[in-house]
Structures are given as C-alpha cells and as structure tokens.
Amino acid sequence: QGGGSAVIDMENMDDTSGSSFEDMGEMHQRMKEEEEEEAEGEAGAAEEEDGEFLGMKGLRGQLGRQVADQMWQVGKRQASRAFSLYANIDILRPYFDVEPVQVRARLLESMIPVKMINFPQKIAGELYGPLMLVFTLVAILLHGMKTSDTIIREGTLMGTAIGTCFGYWLGVSSFIYFLAYLCNAQITMVQMLSLLGYGLFGHCITLFVTYNIHFHSLFYIFWLGVGGLSTLRMVAVLVSRTVGYTQRLILCGTLAALHMLFLLYLHFAYHKVVEGILDTLEGPNMPPFQRVARDIPVVSNAVLNTTAKAIALTL
C-alpha cells in the first residue's frame, strides 16, 4: 500500500505538474492578450487623439472657408449694389423729369433778380434745363467760329467747345459749392449746378446776338444788361441763403466776377486761344507752294550786238 500510495502520489504529482504547465501557458496567453489589448488601447487612444487633432484642424479650415465665403458674399453684394446704384436710370430720373413749360418759366425767372433776403429763395433741383443750355452754348460757339475769321482746319472743333462749356459749368459749380460750404451757405451741389446752368441763359442770348451783329458797343450793352441780369439773379439767390455780410461778399463777389469774365472770354479771347492751340499742335498756317518767275538780268544793247555779229561771222 505504501508503494501504491507512492504511485498514487506520483500520479497526483504528475497531474499537478501537468496542470501547472497548463496554467503557465494560460497565464502566458492571458499576458499576451493583455499586452495586445493594451497595444490596441494605446493605438485607439492615439487614433482618437489624432482624430481630435485632425478634427480641430478640419474645424478651423471649415471656419476659415465659411469666413472667406461670407466675406466674398458681402463684397459681392456691395459691388452689385454700387453697380446698380450707378447703372440704374431711375436714380437720375427725378433730375430730368420736367415739363417744357416749367423750363420756359425758369428761363424767364433766371433773368429777373428777386430781392428777398429774409427767406431762402427756391432753387429748382433739376438738370435738364441747365444741360440743354450748356449744349446750346456749345452750338453758339461753333456758329461764332464759322461766322468769324477763324480758320477751322480740323472739323468744327466741337471737342474744344464742349470742354470749355462743360468745364466752366462743372468746375465753377464745384468751386462755388466748396466756397459756399466754407461760408455756411444753405445750398446743395445739384442746386448749384441748376443755378449756374440757368445763369448761362444770358450768355447764350448775348453771344448769339453779337456773333451775328459785329458791334463792340452792342456787345457791351448786352454784357451789362442781359449778362448782368442773369448774374444778379444768382447773386440774389446766394445772398438769401448765406448768413453774414463778409460771407455774402466773398461768395457773391467771386461768382459774379467769374460769370461776367467768362462772357468776356468767350466773346474776345476764345477764338484766339483756339487758334493758338491749333498753331501749337499743327504749326502755323503755311501758304501753298507757288512758282515764282525768276528775274532775268538786264543786258546792254552793246553786248547783244557783239554777240549777234560773232554769230554771223561764224556762219
């Protein structure tokens, strides 16, 4: 029995030893699985971190694209709004929506000064009448150049006339508007353009008459009478819209001087200035080439007789 027990113990020991090896294998397998799980967990954490980093970058890129797209849309709307503002003809329609009867009445009013200082005088806020008067003045200047002794070599010089008239209208209106702003006068740019444009009606009458009737005395009469009335009309309007004696004197004196001197320039100096410009650009007027007979020197009769005798003796 003792030997049997020993055998049994050996068997038990063998069984125990076998189970221990199996347990070691299982432990090794578990450790390996745990390492793999830990590695997978670390890889998953790294992927999650990378995903979070990439997500932040993607979110920032998406926000940047949205901001850029929003800025593009805002700029596009502003550009289209500005384009529609300047391209829409309905904006200019109120400045040209006027009846011919009203234009005729305003032309007559531009020659009648009204002495009313306590209240601002009304100024028409339309540009149809002034624009037509500027074009009329251009046509009168071209007519005056044709009827005078001015030599027109390149067409009718319409560009020079248009530049002179529109330059005066727009330039002087802008200058007087700036001066009115400094003098605290109650007038807008459109009103200034309308006032000065209707003030050219006296210039048109004076130049049209004096270009066809060439008398300097007649011009001076129209210059003081017709041109003076249109200038006094503008001065009266500005006086009613300006506060202060000094401000009125500066503003009205500047406008009156510019308006009256411009009429003198158109009558006396405009044609000469245009001729000077043409001579500068093209050279002075050269007369056409002509053949001139050369002078034969006078030969004495003795020389002729001697020559004739020599020829006779030779023959």
Side-chain angles (χ1 to χ4, degrees), residues 108-126:
L108 296 176
E109 290 176 358
S110 66
M111 304 296 298
I112 304 173
V114 179
K115 186 178 179 181
M116 184 176 65
I117 303 176
N118 297 328
F119 299 97
Q121 296 186 24
K122 185 178 180 181
I123 303 175
E126 52 94 5

Side-chain angles (χ1 to χ4, degrees), residues 114-122 186 236-243 248:
V114 179
K115 186 178 179 181
M116 184 176 65
I117 303 176
N118 297 328
F119 299 97
Q121 296 186 24
K122 185 178 180 181
Q186 301 176 359
V237 173
L238 289 180
V239 166
S240 66
R241 291 175 171 266
T242 309
V243 179
R248 289 174 178 175

Side-chain angles (χ1 to χ4, degrees), residues 205-231:
I205 295 175
T206 303
L207 293 176
F208 181 74
V209 173
T210 55
Y211 278 164
N212 293 283
I213 304 174
H214 301 284
F215 291 107
H216 290 299
S217 59
L218 181 64
F219 168 75
Y220 286 117
I221 292 172
F222 273 82
W223 179 67
L224 290 174
V226 181
L229 287 176
S230 61
T231 304

